[in-house]
Amino acid sequence: MATIYDVATLAGVSPATVSRVFNGRAVSEDRAQRVRDAAEALSFVPNRTARTLRRQSSEVIALIIPDIENPFFTALARAVEDRAQAAGYSVVLCNTDDDPVKEATYLQIAISENMAGVILVPASDESDLSTIIASGRPVVTVDRTTAFDVDHVMIENEPAGASVTAALFDAGYQRIACIAGPETVVTAIDRARGWRSVVERRGNYNPDLFVRSANHRLDGGRAAMAELLASPERPDAVVATNNLMGVGALQVLNEYGLTPPAFGVGVIGDLPFTTLSPGLVTLVHLPTRDLGTTAVGMLVSRISGHREPARTVLLPGELAAAASVRS
Amino acid sequence: MATIYDVATLAGVSPATVSRVFNGRAVSEDRAQRVRDAAEALSFVPNRTARTLRRQSSEVIALIIPDIENPFFTALARAVEDRAQAAGYSVVLCNTDDDPVKEATYLQIAISENMAGVILVPASDESDLSTIIASGRPVVTVDRTTAFDVDHVMIENEPAGASVTAALFDAGYQRIACIAGPETVVTAIDRARGWRSVVERRGNYNPDLFVRSANHRLDGGRAAMAELLASPERPDAVVATNNLMGVGALQVLNEYGLTPPAFGVGVIGDLPFTTLSPGLVTLVHLPTRDLGTTAVGMLVSRISGHREPARTVLLPGELAAAASVRS
DNA sequence: ATGAAAGCGCTAACAA
DNA sequence: TTGTTAGCGCTTTCAT
């Protein structure tokens, strides 16, 4: 692999001049051309490792997510990547599996690799950001928060939970249960709170009997749905606080012969790769792309030296498909 | 951030000794302990950038995939990540969007960042690996091949195409069409060839009229299915050569009121997050995990200096659910 | 077993 | 505008 010294020798200039050409600094046109020609001839590619060591910062952003197999997060990753690319950054994707230890490891790596910044979906509200904050690397959290005072961009979760629940009541369902995510995730808590507020107002039952906490994956939704169907006070509808739990619930309902609209289903998030007819399930569409692009914007502004206090951005979900009236 | 010099000073040893402790080289026990204590006290973390520059190789593997929103590839990523982690490597995930230019950029970055190696799902059979090969970095391709002579791990695609088609004939379907992937992707070609071989043997029609080439995503499957349904010689069943095209086909069939088994559907790959009852769709289950772990194994052996000629590993698909007999 | 010192490839003062 | 030079933090000969 050729270095700037090789290029410099061939072009008859100093290494510094080569560096300047590749960093867009002022160099006389004829010399610049000689450098470009020499670089071309040697198929020179700047060594990013050396540049990073010298500059103490790379052009790489870490995107740390809890579950790479959840389409919500891959869509987020797409958005982040597109926007980051446009701003001149590469994105490395790190999967924590909701494991705070893995998360801590990746944060450590981000520091140790001198990455430009981190976009993080925290594994839980207990996630420890003290080390990365102390390192001075910018951090933005997305979709979830922690106790730490950093930029974050969130969904309006409580209204999302409320609107999907209200839509199910409007459609004629009476006993609407809730499959909520883990109690350590702010997003799940807020969405469940939205469900509860509507139930307390319009429902004729005790919400506590109709809520189940589950992991955010398919099997979590399945287990919770099965439990709800087995309970003495059987609900006639359910709200799942994320996409995969919604799919799990639908799978179990299908196995019981209870497909919508015979049993009402509301989901906060979009059903990935669904083969269901539209309108059967009440959905709150989430602005995944905006979530990602906003986060990149905030992060890049921090990387460029922005020093204001931590900012919060709230993005609304959108009730996408009204449930059919109950058959 | 503390450096080995800080640690060395505090521990009263030389920087070289600190380095040795962190690299498991022989150091007397008392000094090693002093170093560990000092490192702990300063919360020292080795700077990977410096190490990489010096060693000319990092502990990072690039995994380059065509579509991060396809669950097949995210499952692959999971497998690769788990196995790589166990071998002491981090994985950075790069999404090419089937774009040879993006692919070339990521390969360039892998070189420029001194990454330990690359696991690549080539965007097409025209993908140019000459640069990365010339750089000396090990490369393993997965799921698809190129003209270049590198290690690769593949599915037995032609048998997969044949077995799913045969199963549909067995179930009583007569005119089985094929939604094939892009003609630039070896995997798609081979699977379609498997379909064709069975049709030529058992079908009473001209295969050419019943095959459509589509992009590997949802919309590709939708468009191809719509076209097949509109054609004068309407098929009574279809084989999709990947998962997302299968979902797209099912969506369109559903819109036409043609749900299986009224219309036969075979898919090579698993239906992601399906809410369909099992057995309605004929599937070939793909050994995604094995694909990933095998690739990591091959790559790591190359990184460790293995110098044999390029190896090929073939993994079989598995006919997972027989179609119900046609109603 | 340990330390001194060179150098990986680049950038950024500083001088000219 | 251009070149000289120091140094980012680490690993690794080479001595001792």
Side-chain angles (χ1 to χ4, degrees):
Chain A
M1 294 283 93
T3 72
I4 51 171
Y5 290 93
D6 303 322
V7 177
T9 306
L10 183 58
V13 300
S14 77
T17 297
V18 178
S19 171
R20 288 182 185 114
V21 170
F22 279 88
N23 289 285
R25 307 209 175 285
V27 170
S28 68
E29 188 42 49
D30 61 324
R31 295 180 154 238
Q33 194 52 54
R34 289 203 331 258
V35 167
R36 279 189 290 265
D37 291 346
E40 176 73 39
L42 298 170
S43 42
F44 165 76
V45 180
N47 182 315
R48 287 177 174 234
T49 304
R51 166 183 293 185
T52 299
L53 180 59
R54 176 61 226 234
R55 286 217 193 134
Q56 304 284 319
S57 177
S58 74
E59 277 89 54
V60 175
I61 290 172
L63 172 60
I64 307 180
I65 59 176
D67 182 7
I68 196 187
E69 300 199 67
N70 185 330
F72 171 76
F73 294 120
T74 57
L76 180 72
R78 269 304 284 272
V80 165
E81 200 184 10
D82 291 351
R83 193 70 144 63
Q85 207 95 33
Y89 294 91
S90 313
V91 174
V92 319
L93 193 55
C94 313
N95 182 48
T96 63
D97 231 346
D98 278 309
D99 177 353
V101 175
K102 280 196 183 181
E103 183 175 88
T105 304
Y106 279 121
L107 287 171
Q108 199 65 265
I109 289 178
I111 297 172
S112 165
E113 297 261 16
N114 291 307
M115 292 186 188
V118 174
I119 297 177
L120 172 70
V121 180
S124 90
D125 51 13
E126 305 272 280
S127 288
D128 180 15
L129 308 190
S130 57
T131 311
I132 185 88
I133 290 173
S135 79
R137 309 262 147 214
V139 184
V140 175
T141 71
V142 189
D143 183 52
R144 304 178 182 173
T145 50
T146 63
F148 294 86
D149 187 40
V150 297
D151 288 345
H152 57 280
V153 36
M154 296 285 291
I155 305 278
E156 289 179 0
N157 287 309
E158 192 164 335
S163 65
V164 69
T165 309
L168 285 170
F169 273 116
D170 290 348
Y173 298 99
Q174 315 256 345
R175 295 187 312 283
I176 304 169
C178 181
I179 301 178
E183 279 150 5
T184 53
V185 175
V186 159
T187 297
I189 295 167
D190 289 348
R191 291 176 185 175
R193 184 180 295 137
W195 162 82
R196 179 180 293 266
S197 71
V198 173
V199 168
E200 281 171 349
R201 193 148 28 82
R202 299 179 60 175
N204 200 5
Y205 56 93
N206 179 358
D208 289 334
L209 301 175
F210 279 71
V211 61
R212 294 291 180 282
S213 181
N215 76 47
H216 262 151
R217 297 186 303 272
L218 208 68
D219 59 312
R222 291 187 58 99
M225 190 70 246
E227 217 183 296
L228 285 168
L229 288 178
S231 71
E233 287 285 331
R234 201 192 245 209
D236 63 356
V238 68
V239 167
T241 65
N242 89 339
N243 56 352
L244 297 194
M245 294 190 305
V247 173
L250 281 163
Q251 286 183 347
V252 169
L253 286 170
N254 187 49
E255 289 160 17
Y256 279 74
L258 285 173
T259 51
F263 195 100
V265 177
V267 177
I268 300 175
D270 298 277
L271 289 179
F273 310 114
T274 185
T275 50
L276 295 171
S277 305
L280 289 179
V281 174
T282 303
L283 298 174
V284 175
H285 173 76
L286 301 178
T288 323
R289 272 206 91 70
D290 282 357
L291 224 49
T293 54
T294 306
V296 173
M298 294 172 94
L299 187 69
V300 168
S301 87
R302 292 289 176 187
I303 294 170
S304 317
H306 186 91
R307 285 283 164 271
E308 302 296 298
R311 298 158 290 182
T312 299
V313 174
L314 279 180
L315 268 30
E318 184 191 338
L319 196 62
S324 335
V325 173
R326 189 182 181 185
S327 59
Chain B
M1 294 284 93
T3 72
I4 52 170
Y5 290 93
D6 303 323
V7 176
T9 305
L10 184 57
V13 300
S14 77
T17 298
V18 177
S19 172
R20 287 180 186 119
V21 170
F22 278 88
N23 289 285
R25 308 209 175 287
V27 171
S28 68
E29 187 43 48
D30 61 325
R31 296 180 152 238
Q33 194 52 54
R34 279 187 359 241
V35 167
R36 279 190 290 267
D37 291 347
E40 176 73 38
L42 299 171
S43 42
F44 165 75
V45 180
N47 182 315
R48 287 177 174 234
T49 305
R51 165 182 296 184
T52 299
L53 179 59
R54 176 61 226 236
R55 286 219 192 132
Q56 306 283 353
S57 177
S58 74
E59 278 90 53
V60 174
I61 290 172
L63 172 61
I64 306 180
I65 59 176
D67 181 7
I68 195 185
E69 300 199 68
N70 184 330
F72 172 76
F73 294 120
T74 56
L76 180 71
R78 268 303 286 270
V80 166
E81 200 185 8
D82 291 351
R83 192 70 143 62
Q85 207 94 35
Y89 293 91
S90 314
V91 174
V92 318
L93 193 55
C94 313
N95 182 48
T96 63
D97 232 346
D98 278 309
D99 177 353
V101 176
K102 279 196 183 182
E103 183 175 270
T105 304
Y106 279 121
L107 288 170
Q108 199 64 266
I109 289 178
I111 298 172
S112 165
E113 297 262 16
N114 291 306
M115 291 186 188
V118 174
I119 297 177
L120 173 69
V121 180
S124 90
D125 50 14
E126 305 273 278
S127 288
D128 180 15
L129 308 191
S130 57
T131 311
I132 185 88
I133 290 173
S135 80
R137 309 261 148 215
V139 183
V140 176
T141 71
V142 190
D143 183 51
R144 304 178 184 174
T145 49
T146 63
F148 294 87
D149 188 41
V150 298
D151 288 345
H152 58 280
V153 37
M154 297 286 290
I155 304 279
E156 288 179 1
N157 287 308
E158 191 164 334
S163 65
V164 70
T165 308
L168 286 170
F169 272 117
D170 291 347
Y173 299 98
Q174 316 256 346
R175 296 188 311 285
I176 304 168
C178 181
I179 300 178
E183 279 150 4
T184 53
V185 175
V186 158
T187 296
I189 295 168
D190 290 349
R191 291 174 186 176
R193 183 179 296 136
W195 161 83
R196 178 179 294 267
S197 71
V198 174
V199 168
E200 281 171 349
R201 192 146 31 80
R202 302 180 56 176
N204 200 5
Y205 57 95
N206 179 357
D208 290 333
L209 301 175
F210 279 72
V211 62
R212 294 292 180 282
S213 182
N215 76 47
H216 261 151
R217 298 187 303 273
L218 208 68
D219 59 312
R222 290 188 58 99
M225 190 70 246
E227 217 183 295
L228 284 168
L229 288 179
S231 71
E233 286 286 332
R234 201 193 247 209
D236 64 356
V238 68
V239 167
T241 65
N242 89 339
N243 56 352
L244 297 193
M245 295 191 303
V247 174
L250 282 163
Q251 287 183 346
V252 169
L253 286 170
N254 188 48
E255 289 161 17
Y256 279 74
L258 285 172
T259 51
F263 195 100
V265 176
V267 177
I268 301 174
D270 297 278
L271 289 179
F273 309 115
T274 185
T275 51
L276 294 172
S277 305
L280 289 179
V281 174
T282 304
L283 297 174
V284 175
H285 173 75
L286 301 178
T288 323
R289 271 205 91 71
D290 282 357
L291 224 49
T293 54
T294 306
V296 174
M298 294 172 95
L299 188 69
V300 169
S301 86
R302 292 288 176 189
I303 293 170
S304 317
H306 187 92
R307 285 281 164 272
E308 302 296 297
R311 298 158 290 182
T312 299
V313 174
L314 278 180
L315 267 29
E318 185 192 337
L319 195 64
S324 335
V325 173
R326 189 182 181 187
S327 59

